[in-house]
Amino acid sequence: MFRINSKDLKIVVERVMKSARRAKLKNTVIDVIATGKTIILKFGGSELFVSQKIQADITKELNFSTTVMELNLKVSALPNSELITVEEKDNKIYFKWGRSSLVRVERVDNQCIEMSFEAQGESFEWSYKSIQRITRFNMTSFTAINGTAEANKIPQLAGIYIQNKNNYTELHASDSKKAISMVATDIKWFDEPAAIPTETWFALYELLSQDSIISISSNGKSLVKFESESTVIISRIIVGTYPDLSAIFVQPEQTATRWTIDRLELLEATRRARHLITTTGSTIELNSDGKKTYLILKDQLVQQIGAMIVGDIKKFIINPEDLELILSILRTEDIVLSYRSLSSSMTICGIADEESEDKTEEMNIKCMLTTMV
């Protein structure tokens, strides 16, 4: 039996539910273990295991299993800021408050499958800011979705690839139609690169607190562990060789065509086009007649935008949703769209703004989009 404030319980269980839902584990079993002064919530599957601690007043050890969805449903129904007593009676679990109010939680017989992990070699520490930066730059939106043709063909694309480069760490994500590459100088990784599933990053983002210091270790084979004071996440890496993305990005010396555009102006026009789109898969066109440049949504929108163009490519067709995603990530005032040739994909980078506080971060990011010229 244990007692806990409903507000504290709701905050943690809501985070657990969000991470489980995004990891496609909302129907999985969750173990609730009350011992000492701590409640431990454990859930997971074959690719991901999560353990979350909560402080509580425990008067008697209590262990039970239910599903993540059932626990979230019953906890969300509790009143706010009430002292909740959780107890077992006749093999049933009850959440009680007040004089005689209660909610019953349905138990399940099976238990969470816990991954066995034995650390090998060195470990590294990350701050929550490092995790936040990866999610802030929306790298997870560039990965291939499990079950799609892209992920089935190249399973490694269903994760974010991390690679140690001695003085810095590179992170890459792609679904074969778009890609993002980021250089991070404040985090370290193991000698062996790894593709960490997108679902793992969702769990990290949802469960870790902003003051977390995360210890990262590896079993030297197929598992990596992220551990903070109250959270443990063990993830299976995606085995196999990640595609070499370096060839798809246009290097400055390779640039044959270069468009320089005000980022916010292009972002506004792209959002206006997306607002007008009613058909899935619609595209937009950027077109220059040599004097003026326009963003065009066929039969719906023509908007003039400012652009400085050097090179032969004066027209291309692009996915507006992907373009908006990239323009939202790059926070610089101006951006550059680069082509190597008529058959190459487009590379999009920010141009450093001397007054930008995030100048270093912005210049360490480059994105790729496939287009039709």
Side-chain angles (χ1 to χ4, degrees), residues 189-313:
W189 193 252
F190 310 99
D191 291 336
E192 286 295 321
I196 307 298
T198 304
E199 292 78 10
T200 301
W201 297 104
F202 288 152
L204 288 166
Y205 178 72
E206 296 293 353
L207 291 172
L208 294 172
S209 58
Q210 294 191 4
D211 58 353
S212 294
I213 299 297
I214 305 104
S215 173
I216 304 173
S217 54
S218 168
N219 72 344
K221 298 177 182 179
S222 59
L223 298 176
V224 63
K225 180 166 75 171
F226 301 83
E227 184 173 9
S228 70
E229 186 177 357
S230 59
T231 307
V232 174
I233 296 175
I234 300 175
S235 172
R236 196 173 299 281
I237 67 173
I238 307 174
V239 178
T241 303
Y242 196 87
D244 181 9
L245 299 183
S246 60
I248 67 174
F249 290 105
V250 182
Q251 304 303 321
E253 66 274 12
Q254 300 173 325
T255 302
T257 297
R258 174 186 174 106
W259 289 47
T260 303
I261 305 177
D262 182 285
R263 182 184 66 87
L264 289 178
E265 184 179 8
L266 180 56
L267 178 59
E268 178 193 23
T270 303
R271 284 176 172 167
R272 180 170 290 112
R274 287 201 64 201
H275 177 74
L276 295 170
I277 288 174
T278 57
T279 305
T280 303
S282 295
T283 57
I284 57 175
E285 177 184 309
L286 269 70
N287 193 330
S288 174
D289 61 8
K291 296 180 180 179
K292 297 179 180 179
T293 302
Y294 301 92
L295 182 147
I296 301 169
L297 174 63
K298 187 177 180 180
D299 299 329
Q300 297 278 351
L301 172 69
V302 176
Q303 180 170 338
Q304 184 177 346
I305 57 174
M308 183 172 67
I309 303 170
V310 177
D312 296 330
I313 298 176

Side-chain angles (χ1 to χ4, degrees), residues 137-231:
F137 290 135
N138 234 335
M139 293 193 75
T140 51
S141 295
F142 287 79
T143 59
I145 299 172
N146 274 317
T148 60
E150 292 79 12
N152 290 337
K153 182 179 180 181
I154 309 176
Q156 296 75 26
L157 294 182
I160 295 175
Y161 184 68
I162 312 180
Q163 186 175 25
N164 173 35
K165 290 287 188 178
N166 294 324
N167 296 325
Y168 60 91
T169 299
E170 283 186 349
L171 298 98
H172 306 281
S174 177
D175 62 2
S176 78
K177 297 176 182 176
K178 59 183 181 294
I180 184 170
S181 178
M182 182 174 78
V183 171
T185 57
D186 61 336
I187 60 175
K188 294 183 179 180
W189 193 252
F190 310 99
D191 291 336
E192 286 295 321
I196 307 298
T198 304
E199 292 78 10
T200 301
W201 297 104
F202 288 152
L204 288 166
Y205 178 72
E206 296 293 353
L207 291 172
L208 294 172
S209 58
Q210 294 191 4
D211 58 353
S212 294
I213 299 297
I214 305 104
S215 173
I216 304 173
S217 54
S218 168
N219 72 344
K221 298 177 182 179
S222 59
L223 298 176
V224 63
K225 180 166 75 171
F226 301 83
E227 184 173 9
S228 70
E229 186 177 357
S230 59
T231 307

Side-chain angles (χ1 to χ4, degrees), residues 78-143:
L78 297 174
N80 295 321
S81 301
E82 284 277 356
L83 184 64
I84 305 298
T85 299
V86 181
E87 65 179 28
E88 179 183 27
K89 185 177 181 181
D90 299 329
N91 203 36
K92 297 179 176 65
I93 301 298
Y94 297 97
F95 290 175
K96 297 183 175 181
W97 70 95
R99 293 181 179 179
S100 57
S101 302
L102 61 84
V103 169
R104 178 184 166 185
V105 180
E106 297 294 334
R107 301 181 76 159
V108 296
D109 294 330
N110 49 327
Q111 294 182 313
C112 163
I113 300 173
E114 188 167 349
M115 286 186 181
S116 176
F117 183 90
E118 184 176 343
Q120 298 287 335
E122 60 186 334
S123 62
F124 304 107
E125 284 191 349
W126 287 14
S127 68
Y128 178 76
K129 182 181 177 183
S130 301
I131 303 292
Q132 193 177 40
R133 186 191 306 122
I134 293 168
T135 52
R136 169 197 161 192
F137 290 135
N138 234 335
M139 293 193 75
T140 51
S141 295
F142 287 79
T143 59

Side-chain angles (χ1 to χ4, degrees), residues 14-121:
E14 182 181 7
R15 289 176 179 172
V16 166
M17 181 61 183
K18 285 182 178 179
S19 65
R21 182 187 293 117
R22 299 183 80 173
K24 300 178 178 64
L25 293 171
K26 66 179 181 179
N27 294 316
T28 197
V29 172
I30 185 167
D31 295 343
V32 181
I33 303 167
T35 181
K37 297 181 179 179
T38 306
I39 305 167
I40 305 175
L41 306 178
K42 296 181 179 181
F43 73 94
S46 59
E47 307 298 318
L48 180 70
F49 169 78
V50 175
S51 174
Q52 182 72 31
K53 295 179 181 178
I54 322 172
Q55 298 300 309
D57 176 18
I58 299 171
T59 56
K60 182 181 179 181
E61 288 192 357
L62 174 63
N63 298 345
F64 66 91
S65 300
T66 182
T67 65
V68 175
M69 184 176 287
E70 169 71 4
L71 182 64
N72 180 68
L73 176 65
K74 299 305 168 64
V75 169
S76 64
L78 297 174
N80 295 321
S81 301
E82 284 277 356
L83 184 64
I84 305 298
T85 299
V86 181
E87 65 179 28
E88 179 183 27
K89 185 177 181 181
D90 299 329
N91 203 36
K92 297 179 176 65
I93 301 298
Y94 297 97
F95 290 175
K96 297 183 175 181
W97 70 95
R99 293 181 179 179
S100 57
S101 302
L102 61 84
V103 169
R104 178 184 166 185
V105 180
E106 297 294 334
R107 301 181 76 159
V108 296
D109 294 330
N110 49 327
Q111 294 182 313
C112 163
I113 300 173
E114 188 167 349
M115 286 186 181
S116 176
F117 183 90
E118 184 176 343
Q120 298 287 335

